[in-house]
Amino acid sequence: MTMSLSSLSPPVADRSVRSRPAMIGRGRHLVALMIRWLPALLLIIGLLALWEWAGQAGRLPISVPAPSAIGTEFSDSRDMLWFHTAPTLSAAAKGFVAAAVSAFVLGMVVAFRPRLAGPVYQTSVIVSSVPLVALTPVLVLWLDRGDTVRTTVAALAGFFPILVGCVQGFGARDSGREELFLVLSAGTWQRFTSLTLPSSLPYVFAGLKAAAASAVLGAIIAEWSGGGGTRGLGQMMTNALFGFNVPRTWLTIATAAFLAVGAYAIVATAERLVVRWDHDTAGVER
Amino acid sequence: MSDQHVLLENVSKRFDMRKDSVLALSDVSLSLRRGEFVALIGPSGCGKSTLLRLLADIADPSAGSIRVGGRSPRDARLAHRIGFVFQDPTLLPWRTVLDNVKLPIKIARGRAEHGSASPEELLELVGLGGFENAHPSQLSGGMRQRVAIARALALTPELLLLDEPFGALDEISRQHLNLEMLRIWTETGTTAVLVTHAISEAVLMADRIVVLSPRPGRVTGIVEVDLPRPRTLDLMQTQEFFRLENAVRSALFGTVEATEDPAPLEAHQ
């Protein structure tokens, strides 16, 4: 086979080439990113400055400290903050993994037995509709006051978004690819691993991203109602609240928000690393 | 015929709708020789794609029988002996070009003989050497369809089914790919069935053109194309090429033109 077919066939009809930013280098990519986030950043800085000014001028209500006061509280009680945040984070992470595994398994059950989609969904909706604040005391009675409760509540908080992502992702069918796998005589399991699973990943990651933030907040909610003993960000929050320590209360609130955003960002980064075919900006290797 | 490969006998296909049913194919009988290149042509709704899907065991005939190399289409499919090129490339975007070509080999897991050409050689053959590690999204429409052709040949099918594979491309790319397709087909020696609605494409490619009429789809004529191989684009300028195009046209539209060789109206050979 020594024919020079490539000379015969230039890619003439390139109308369908997607205009992706393949030519944008690393540096320009960074600049584009900064330009995109600049307005939001400026807005946040402006709001913080306004907030600080109002605090200095004594125009804030007594329950709201100036940002600098929260900053001072952070440097004063950094060790205490970490002491209480570590178990919360660990419970949130364990709960997230438990939610991901169980939702994935249930999603697979539905994928292979579509008749079970109704019952699985309905049960999950009911379970997810129970307010976690109300559920935690019951769980404390059932289980114990330890780590199990907040891990369970974190898992419950993250479960439903992942299940929805898995069921939708595994159920998303492309008739052309289905026919291809039929002609190739792929088995059920081959079809799942080579077709269903890869094409479901954008859906699954959408669920995982939502669940990551929910799991963190779920763990904190459990700690409010006595899950997790005396150590935890939720405990620190309630202690500060009932001790009228206003800057510390706000510090814990800011930390909770930061953790939730961070959890989301970690999963989003994982998605970018795994689902490469939508963001692939690398040039064609020759 | 001794080297008969694919045999369709009184094949009908009926699609059941909610209220009534539509007869997509009616009483089609055909015989394809081994290594023959056959084009199916007809207006939309004539069931030519349906016929291809029956051969690939994507759908079952409502009546009649189909044999591919002496066995049913299902057995041929399960033995990984059928290659199919769809209208769309249907590549998997998460796989590289090379891994897309390897997909049939991976799925067959050694239960089918590998092609005489390796996946890398197949990519070379379709003019995509050097693009092994590219992703489909980085390729043009024509390049993607070449990957699909290489993939269909990965296991050296005994029957290659082409469902308007170049229908979405412009005329220039299309003719290039047609000639490449013929070259590849010559090398592999497989039996090929091409569905098309372009008369010149059918004449350029095929040994025989099966003309179908719509509602219900039935064979209205078969045009033998006795042009020499290898075919070239120059052939399209010849008197003989025009004569064959007109023969197909008259079989399609039933207009009686001044052709000294009217298409035979007998479906079965």
Side-chain angles (χ1 to χ4, degrees):
Chain A
M1 279 175 240
T2 52
M3 52 188 83
S4 57
L5 283 169
S6 40
S7 62
L8 184 140
S9 49
V12 199
D14 279 13
R15 288 174 306 182
S16 52
V17 171
R18 268 191 251 158
S19 58
R20 41 181 57 241
M23 296 306 142
I24 295 180
R26 264 259 179 274
R28 280 185 61 190
H29 190 69
L30 203 70
V31 170
L33 201 74
M34 275 169 64
I35 290 172
R36 213 174 93 203
W37 286 99
L38 202 63
L41 204 66
L42 286 178
L43 185 68
I44 289 172
I45 291 173
L47 282 174
L48 282 174
L50 192 70
W51 186 359
E52 184 66 37
W53 169 80
Q56 302 283 349
R59 285 168 189 268
L60 288 175
I62 193 151
S63 55
V64 181
S68 60
I70 303 174
T72 313
E73 175 64 27
F74 173 68
S75 53
D76 287 351
S77 51
R78 205 179 328 183
D79 294 342
M80 180 200 262
L81 184 65
W82 177 245
F83 175 78
H84 283 295
T85 304
T88 308
L89 258 185
S90 142
K94 280 188 276 184
F96 176 75
V97 170
V101 170
S102 52
F104 192 88
V105 170
L106 269 178
M108 273 181 64
V109 168
V110 171
F112 284 103
R113 294 281 176 275
R115 279 186 182 187
L116 294 176
V120 167
Y121 248 145
Q122 284 144 12
T123 315
S124 305
V125 169
I126 293 169
V127 170
S128 311
S129 306
V130 178
L132 295 177
V133 188
L135 188 68
T136 313
V138 182
L139 287 175
V140 169
L141 289 177
W142 274 358
L143 305 164
D144 55 43
R145 298 180 63 82
D147 221 26
T148 325
V149 173
R150 63 181 153 194
T151 304
T152 310
V153 175
L156 283 171
F159 171 75
F160 195 60
I162 309 179
L163 180 75
V164 172
C166 287
V167 170
Q168 295 231 315
F170 297 164
R173 295 249 184 277
D174 177 300
S175 59
R177 290 179 196 157
E178 295 287 326
E179 281 195 354
L180 169 69
F181 274 70
L182 176 64
V183 173
L184 294 178
S185 294
T188 317
W189 186 247
Q190 284 178 322
R191 189 181 291 240
F192 183 78
T193 54
S194 296
L195 177 61
T196 311
L197 196 56
S199 34
S200 76
L201 284 179
Y203 296 89
V204 175
F205 268 108
L208 288 174
K209 279 188 281 192
S214 298
V216 171
L217 300 180
I220 293 172
I221 289 172
E223 289 167 346
W224 286 349
S225 338
T230 53
R231 243 186 102 184
L233 188 61
Q235 279 85 343
M236 189 177 166
M237 202 181 278
T238 41
N239 287 343
L241 190 62
F242 293 124
F244 297 108
N245 190 334
V246 175
R248 185 171 293 171
T249 308
W250 280 78
L251 175 66
T252 55
I253 292 171
T255 307
F258 177 78
L259 292 180
V261 171
Y264 179 94
I266 289 171
V267 180
T269 306
E271 178 182 20
R272 262 208 298 283
L273 292 175
V274 175
V275 188
R276 295 196 67 94
W277 53 92
D278 272 339
H279 328 239
D280 204 339
T281 53
V284 177
E285 293 170 41
R286 293 224 59 163
Chain B
M1 211 173 284
S2 59
D3 57 351
Q4 161 193 304
H5 185 200
V6 178
L7 185 65
L8 294 97
E9 281 181 313
N10 311 104
V11 170
S12 296
K13 176 65 182 175
R14 184 179 289 280
F15 287 111
D16 290 317
M17 318 294 250
R18 246 182 320 164
K19 280 183 192 163
D20 50 354
S21 66
V22 173
L23 192 59
L25 282 172
S26 172
D27 200 27
V28 172
S29 295
L30 276 175
S31 165
L32 275 60
R33 293 184 293 272
R34 194 171 288 279
E36 188 180 23
F37 201 121
V38 171
L40 303 177
I41 195 167
S44 52
C46 71
K48 53 191 191 295
S49 283
T50 303
L51 192 54
L52 213 60
R53 282 172 154 62
L54 297 182
L55 287 172
D57 188 42
I58 296 173
D60 295 320
S62 309
S65 88
I66 304 175
R67 308 301 284 173
V68 177
R71 49 188 163 183
S72 69
R74 174 148 309 159
D75 289 341
R77 171 172 72 78
L78 291 174
H80 305 277
R81 302 299 288 143
I82 289 175
F84 204 111
V85 181
F86 298 91
Q87 287 180 27
D88 300 317
T90 51
L91 304 177
L92 304 181
W94 51 86
R95 286 174 163 255
T96 62
V97 163
L98 183 62
D99 284 342
N100 266 290
V101 176
K102 284 180 175 170
L103 181 70
I105 299 170
K106 185 193 166 211
I107 283 175
R109 282 190 304 213
R111 283 169 296 166
E113 58 178 296
H114 283 205
S116 48
S118 70
E120 290 84 356
E121 286 171 328
L122 282 169
L123 279 175
E124 202 71 48
L125 196 65
V126 297
L128 285 177
F131 284 85
E132 288 83 359
N133 296 317
H135 278 86
S137 61
Q138 297 168 319
L139 305 182
S140 71
M143 291 158 96
R144 287 181 208 167
Q145 198 57 281
R146 290 163 202 221
V147 178
I149 292 167
R151 178 182 63 195
L153 295 168
L155 291 170
T156 1
E158 64 175 86
L159 181 59
L160 180 61
L161 304 171
L162 308 157
D163 189 5
E164 294 185 45
F166 313 127
L169 303 180
D170 65 286
E171 187 76 16
I172 302 169
S173 311
R174 187 179 181 137
Q175 288 186 353
H176 278 311
L177 279 172
N178 279 339
L179 291 179
E180 283 184 35
M181 192 68 238
L182 281 180
R183 226 186 265 245
I184 294 164
W185 165 76
T186 314
E187 290 212 3
T188 55
T190 113
T191 309
V193 183
L194 169 76
V195 161
T196 181
H197 51 236
I199 295 174
S200 62
E201 183 175 74
V203 176
L204 179 67
M205 305 283 280
D207 296 316
R208 255 188 325 154
I209 300 169
V210 176
V211 181
L212 293 143
S213 73
R215 281 175 286 276
R218 54 161 52 100
V219 178
T220 54
I222 290 179
V223 178
E224 296 276 350
V225 182
D226 42 12
L227 296 171
R229 291 191 186 274
R231 306 265 169 91
T232 58
L233 290 180
D234 296 341
L235 268 178
M236 299 178 82
Q237 308 294 327
T238 62
Q239 201 65 41
E240 183 64 7
F241 198 91
F242 286 124
R243 188 190 63 79
L244 287 162
E245 278 190 325
N246 281 330
V248 175
R249 206 166 282 129
S250 57
L252 268 173
F253 303 114
T255 50
V256 185
E257 291 186 32
T259 49
E260 57 274 82
D261 182 14
L265 284 165
E266 199 54 49
H268 203 95
Q269 289 281 297

